[in-house]
Amino acid sequence: MIRSMTAFAGAEANTPQGWIACELRAVNHRYLEINPRLPDELRPLESQLREQVTARLARGKVDMTLRYRAPQGAAELRLDDAVAARMAALAHDLRGRFPDMHTDFATLLAWPGLLVKPELDQEGLGAAAQAVLQRALDEFVATREREGDKLRAAIAERLDAVARIVAEVRGWLPEIRAGLRARLEQRLAELKQPLEPGRLEQEVVLQVQRIDVDEELDRLAAHVAEARRVLGLAEAVGRRLDFLMQEFNREANTLGSKSADPRTTRASVELKVLIEQIREQVQNIE
């Protein structure tokens, strides 16, 4: 399944642990790089959330943003009655011994343990956050796959064009070789000197070897077949296709350097244009 590396997705949910929202966005990157932005309540979950993303994605620079809002009443403070009772008993005991002692109410509230904030259900909060992230990942991957289908179609169209050019060049080769022989015969005839036996054939063989592109055409055809095969694999194939593009370029350059006919020169240029267009698409593939 071909997937694009660029995508955006989000999900949110109201849970007993509070409101949780997740946003995922990604751009092209050589490897997988995850940049989490988490509220304090979810920071203990960072490693689990990273693992969850890593299990679904292979490449791309991914910004993962989670937001959290506690449920109503969770932020309310309550008085610890046991601590307050002990403090009241102590104050009653001390009042007789220190009649001039006065205590500020605000100072009392700062006493450790007197005011208690309800504890978060960390296990429940973690499960809820992971569920929201999973929903965001489902949408994120689906978006990548939809974009990947478009990339696959664009690449397949250009691979077909490469295959057509390779077939055309193959068809021209007998005519190009015959033309080369005719030009050599004409040049040697212009020398007006008797030729050594077999000299013409030797020259023809040497010139044909210099312009022989059968091997390059075979490799280009093999690269087209391999690229088509890779496009059908159920895994991340961006790096493999990127390597193939380098091989395509090498053969197209060699074809141009060996060209002895305007048609093969134009074919080499057209191949380079197509290969560059494919390479630009491949840069977006996971």
Side-chain angles (χ1 to χ4, degrees):
M1 177 66 70
I2 297 296
R3 295 176 180 169
S4 168
M5 275 193 281
T6 58
F8 171 83
E12 63 179 82
N14 284 306
T15 74
Q17 287 73 34
W19 175 80
I20 303 173
C22 175
E23 286 184 0
L24 296 171
R25 63 179 71 238
V27 295
N28 299 349
H29 198 270
R30 189 174 180 182
Y31 305 105
L32 177 62
E33 180 181 313
I34 305 170
N35 300 312
R37 295 184 179 90
L38 307 175
D40 291 339
E41 294 86 352
L42 298 178
R43 287 197 182 281
L45 300 171
E46 181 174 338
S47 61
Q48 295 97 308
L49 298 176
R50 280 180 175 273
E51 290 174 3
Q52 197 171 346
V53 174
T54 302
R56 301 289 300 276
L57 309 179
R59 293 177 71 198
K61 185 175 182 180
V62 182
D63 290 332
M64 175 180 65
T65 303
L66 274 82
R67 297 182 178 87
Y68 172 72
R69 187 167 60 239
Q72 188 175 6
E76 294 178 359
L77 298 174
R78 65 178 180 82
L79 193 68
D80 188 315
D81 293 333
V83 175
R86 287 197 299 271
M87 291 181 68
L90 183 60
H92 180 76
D93 179 58
L94 293 174
R95 189 176 297 117
R97 299 167 61 185
F98 305 98
D100 296 330
M101 183 180 69
H102 298 283
T103 303
D104 181 71
F105 180 71
T107 303
L108 281 177
L109 291 179
W111 187 266
L114 181 60
L115 291 178
V116 180
K117 186 177 180 180
E119 291 185 5
L120 283 173
D121 176 6
Q122 289 293 341
E123 185 176 346
L125 180 61
Q130 289 180 309
V132 172
L133 174 58
Q134 191 63 41
R135 286 172 48 208
L137 278 169
D138 290 342
E139 181 184 344
F140 189 80
V141 170
T143 300
R144 278 188 161 195
E145 289 176 352
R146 286 193 298 270
E147 292 298 321
D149 285 340
K150 297 176 184 178
L151 292 173
R152 187 213 312 273
I155 292 172
E157 180 181 348
R158 286 159 179 80
L159 287 173
D160 291 342
V162 170
R164 284 196 299 271
I165 292 174
V166 169
E168 287 175 354
V169 174
R170 282 192 193 281
W172 297 334
L173 289 182
E175 184 182 341
I176 292 173
R177 289 166 181 154
L180 175 63
R181 183 186 183 91
R183 288 195 298 273
L184 281 173
E185 289 176 346
Q186 182 180 357
R187 290 174 184 173
L188 292 174
E190 291 172 353
L191 294 177
K192 297 179 181 180
Q193 293 180 0
L195 295 176
E196 298 177 6
R199 175 66 184 276
L200 176 60
E201 296 304 323
Q202 291 175 2
E203 289 295 329
V204 170
V205 170
L206 287 173
Q207 292 298 324
V208 167
Q209 286 178 342
R210 290 193 187 101
I211 68 166
D212 182 27
V213 292
D214 281 327
E215 189 174 345
E216 285 74 22
L217 295 177
D218 288 343
R219 283 199 287 261
L220 279 169
H223 295 336
V224 169
E226 175 64 7
R228 287 170 173 164
R229 185 190 73 83
V230 170
L231 286 173
L233 295 178
E235 59 187 64
V237 297
R239 292 180 189 171
R240 190 176 303 189
L241 288 172
D242 192 46
F243 172 76
L244 266 177
M245 291 306 103
Q246 299 175 39
E247 299 301 307
F248 269 101
N249 257 322
R250 184 177 292 111
E251 306 309 331
N253 286 331
T254 305
L255 180 65
S257 66
K258 289 184 174 182
S259 177
D261 187 277
R263 290 172 294 180
T264 53
T265 300
R266 288 194 299 271
S268 174
V269 173
E270 290 173 8
L271 282 172
K272 291 178 184 178
V273 171
L274 287 168
I275 292 165
E276 178 60 22
Q277 291 174 348
I278 297 173
R279 191 191 67 79
E280 290 175 356
Q281 301 294 338
V282 167
Q283 298 306 306
N284 297 322
I285 292 178
E286 182 180 14

